[in-house]
Amino acid sequence: MNPWLVFTDYPMRSVLNGGLRWPYSGGEFVRLNLFRYALRYCSDFRVAVLVNPDHKRAVNEFSKADTTTRPLQVFTPREFLETNVGPNAILHSLHCDLTRGLFLRAYAARHNWPVVGITHDISSPEVYNQLILAHCGGLRENDAIVCCSVATAQAVQRQITAVRAMLRPRHATVKLPIIPYGIDISSIVKIPQPIARSELCLSSNDFVFLYIGRICGITKADLASLVLSFGTIFAGRSNVRLVLAGSTTSEGGEDGYVLHLRRLIAEKALDKQVKIFANPDDTTKSKLYSSANVFVSPANSLQESFGIALLEAMAYGLAIIASDWDGYRDIVLHGKTGYLFNTRIFDNTIAHIQSAFETWPILLEGVQRAVLLDFGECERFMIQCEGDRKTTEALGCAGQRRVAQIFDWKVILGQYRELWRNLVEMSARTKVETSAIGLFPNLPKFFEGHASYSCRPED
């Protein structure tokens, strides 16, 4: 009998809103696609999802409407507990939060099902809180948090080390396998460059640098410095263009940071060379990738743990220039598929105590001020790419091959399937852990003294 893959949560916002607004919330995008491609490529697992009873109908309808995947079993938590699942099951969270799976395993008290989560934005203090709760819930050696990059795994390990030093848990250390995110290579349709450029009002002989991602002052990339660097080396060269595209905090596109960029572009007399596309749809996104020569991403946010946009750009055959930051190092091979320019962080600019007393947006802004990107080196790589276009094209072709071989969802799900089977086999050698029942409040028990008398059957 095939093992069960049981998702303990679901990207409900995507389902109930009828889809994702481009470019996307990166975490929402990753969660939805891991779920979707698990249904498509993991036919050797029986896939189920646990949902609130109020959402069961919506999830069922969404599943049936997605003709690219096979049907799945939708359970409420109570229905799942009443089903004879057996020992061969994985309880899989679409977050770093393992508490639901740990609670369900303890509550059932029948089998030591592996509990697995994934990482996306691990910079929020909430992740640290979740790790504390998970350790209190009794993690086992057959539990895992899948990390999307080497740097992410290192950061999570440091947090776990701090948690264990504080709690001194007797339990085994959770595994931190490294499996990257993916993209669906079959969905990439490149538009002929002359057509794409014509529809975007770009010239056929332009050399185009492209950025796609969030356009935000604190949660993605230093776009203002990128504009300044571009102006320093290419101002007045009308056939060299910089295009900035992505989601903003306003659906209309003209939020404070976008207006700041527009003012900066005007001040530097770059209006004819730098264009901004706020909140582009999927069709426009495809035109942007198809029209570009080089993808540039000066990420400097702790929220950037991987880089889906880099994979998309590589799939379109673009050379990459990106900051040597976190998961970017796992994606770009320096000198072979693009270039990584140096980064530095000044850890003395943010006091440890701030994580307890500052709001998360203020902390993020402080971190960005603490991260220094070497834009001098970035400028040298931009000049090199524009000056040696044959080599730039070769870098893009190499990146296209790399993303197809390593980062296609079909390949990624093969790694997940191997991990899941190994954890199921390992679970047979460990005992059932029940301490996690205390992870969530037993409200009827805690507040039974509020009533004037009890309605228990024995009364």
Side-chain angles (χ1 to χ4, degrees):
M1 186 71 72
N2 289 346
W4 282 91
L5 172 61
V6 183
F7 287 98
T8 58
D9 48 17
Y10 195 80
M12 285 304 306
R13 187 169 57 186
S14 301
V15 175
L16 300 180
N17 289 347
L20 295 169
R21 182 174 69 86
W22 166 250
Y24 45 71
S25 158
E28 196 80 359
F29 180 82
V30 167
R31 288 188 282 271
L32 183 60
N33 277 336
L34 175 59
F35 187 92
R36 175 176 289 152
Y37 292 109
L39 284 169
R40 182 182 297 184
Y41 295 125
C42 298
S43 58
D44 50 342
F45 285 81
R46 291 175 289 173
V47 183
V49 61
L50 305 183
V51 300
N52 182 294
D54 294 336
H55 294 156
K56 184 175 180 179
R57 180 177 176 181
V59 174
N60 266 320
E61 290 176 352
F62 179 80
S63 172
K64 292 175 182 176
D66 190 347
T67 57
T68 64
T69 63
R70 59 193 170 93
L72 75 154
Q73 181 71 52
V74 181
F75 291 115
T76 66
R78 191 169 296 279
E79 288 170 343
F80 175 75
L81 290 173
E82 293 171 353
T83 302
N84 185 20
V85 170
N88 295 327
I90 300 97
L91 303 181
H92 207 293
S93 170
L94 292 169
H95 297 76
C96 201
D97 184 359
L98 304 181
T99 51
R100 285 184 176 181
L102 294 172
F103 172 79
L104 197 64
R105 179 172 71 189
Y107 196 87
R110 293 196 298 268
H111 308 291
N112 192 34
W113 299 313
V115 178
V116 181
I118 66 172
T119 58
H120 183 65
D121 174 17
I122 59 165
S123 58
S124 170
E126 182 60 29
V127 173
Y128 188 70
N129 298 340
Q130 292 166 356
L131 290 172
I132 292 174
L133 286 174
H135 278 79
C136 290
L139 289 170
R140 310 296 297 171
E141 62 179 6
N142 58 310
D143 299 328
I145 299 174
V146 180
C147 299
C148 59
S149 65
V150 172
T152 297
Q154 292 171 344
V156 174
Q157 183 59 66
R158 293 186 190 105
Q159 293 193 56
I160 287 176
T161 299
V163 167
R164 291 177 65 84
M166 180 175 60
L167 298 179
R168 298 180 177 85
R170 57 182 174 81
H171 304 290
T173 303
V174 63
K175 287 180 169 48
L176 300 176
I178 299 171
I179 303 177
Y181 303 146
I183 60 172
D184 181 7
I185 298 296
S186 65
S187 69
I188 302 296
V189 179
K190 188 170 183 178
I191 302 169
Q193 192 176 85
I195 296 175
R197 289 190 171 187
S198 175
E199 296 185 3
L200 295 173
C201 299
L202 297 169
S203 173
S204 59
N205 65 342
D206 284 343
F207 190 89
V208 180
F209 293 95
L210 171 68
Y211 165 86
I212 292 183
R214 282 191 301 275
I215 301 179
C216 177
I218 62 172
T219 63
K220 192 67 174 186
D222 188 354
L223 300 183
S225 294
L226 178 61
V227 169
L228 291 173
S229 286
F230 177 84
T232 298
I233 55 180
F234 294 121
R237 293 188 56 187
S238 59
N239 65 328
V240 183
R241 309 290 293 272
L242 172 64
V243 177
L244 309 176
S247 60
T248 70
T249 56
S250 167
E251 289 195 19
E254 299 301 309
D255 63 6
Y257 190 65
V258 173
L259 292 175
H260 167 66
L261 291 175
R262 292 197 188 280
R263 286 193 296 268
L264 182 62
I265 291 166
E267 289 171 5
K268 299 300 178 181
L270 296 171
D271 308 71
K272 295 182 179 180
Q273 291 180 261
V274 182
K275 299 186 69 171
I276 298 177
F277 290 83
N279 302 318
D281 58 21
D282 287 333
T283 301
T284 303
K285 178 188 76 166
S286 182
K287 294 175 184 177
L288 289 166
Y289 278 128
S290 298
S291 67
N293 300 97
V294 176
F295 188 83
V296 186
S297 184
N300 64 341
S301 172
L302 290 183
Q303 288 192 322
E304 187 61 281
S305 59
F306 188 68
I308 292 291
L310 269 64
L311 297 185
E312 292 178 338
M314 290 165 67
Y316 277 87
L318 303 185
I320 307 294
I321 298 176
S323 49
D324 193 355
W325 183 258
D326 198 5
Y328 283 15
R329 293 192 286 269
D330 292 20
I331 299 172
V332 180
L333 297 180
H334 183 73
K336 296 181 179 179
T337 64
Y339 303 105
L340 297 170
F341 59 92
N342 284 322
T343 63
R344 186 179 303 167
I345 189 165
F346 298 99
D347 57 5
N348 62 339
T349 59
I350 299 179
H352 187 184
I353 196 172
Q354 284 182 266
S355 62
F357 291 94
E358 292 286 12
T359 64
W360 183 223
I362 292 176
L363 275 175
L364 275 179
E365 189 173 9
V367 168
Q368 283 211 317
R369 287 196 301 269
V371 176
L372 177 65
L373 306 185
D374 188 346
F375 276 98
E377 191 172 30
C378 176
E379 291 169 16
R380 290 195 293 275
F381 291 141
M382 293 175 75
I383 292 171
Q384 187 172 328
C385 283
E386 191 274 332
D388 187 353
R389 303 188 183 191
K390 186 175 181 180
T391 298
T392 299
E393 186 176 350
L395 292 173
C397 290
Q400 196 170 40
R401 292 191 296 271
R402 175 172 168 79
V403 77
Q405 293 168 357
I406 299 176
F407 297 106
D408 185 68
W409 270 116
K410 187 174 184 178
V411 177
I412 300 302
L413 264 299
Q415 297 177 55
Y416 269 101
R417 287 162 57 205
E418 182 179 2
L419 170 68
W420 293 332
R421 289 191 175 278
N422 288 340
L423 293 177
V424 167
E425 292 176 5
M426 190 181 299
S427 69
R429 302 193 295 269
T430 56
K431 66 178 183 179
V432 177
E433 172 63 55
T434 60
S435 63
I437 291 177
L439 287 176
F440 292 93
N442 184 341
L443 296 179
K445 179 70 174 178
F446 292 167
F447 294 95
E448 64 182 358
H450 279 39
S452 56
Y453 64 94
S454 172
C455 295
R456 295 175 183 169
E458 63 268 21
D459 289 349

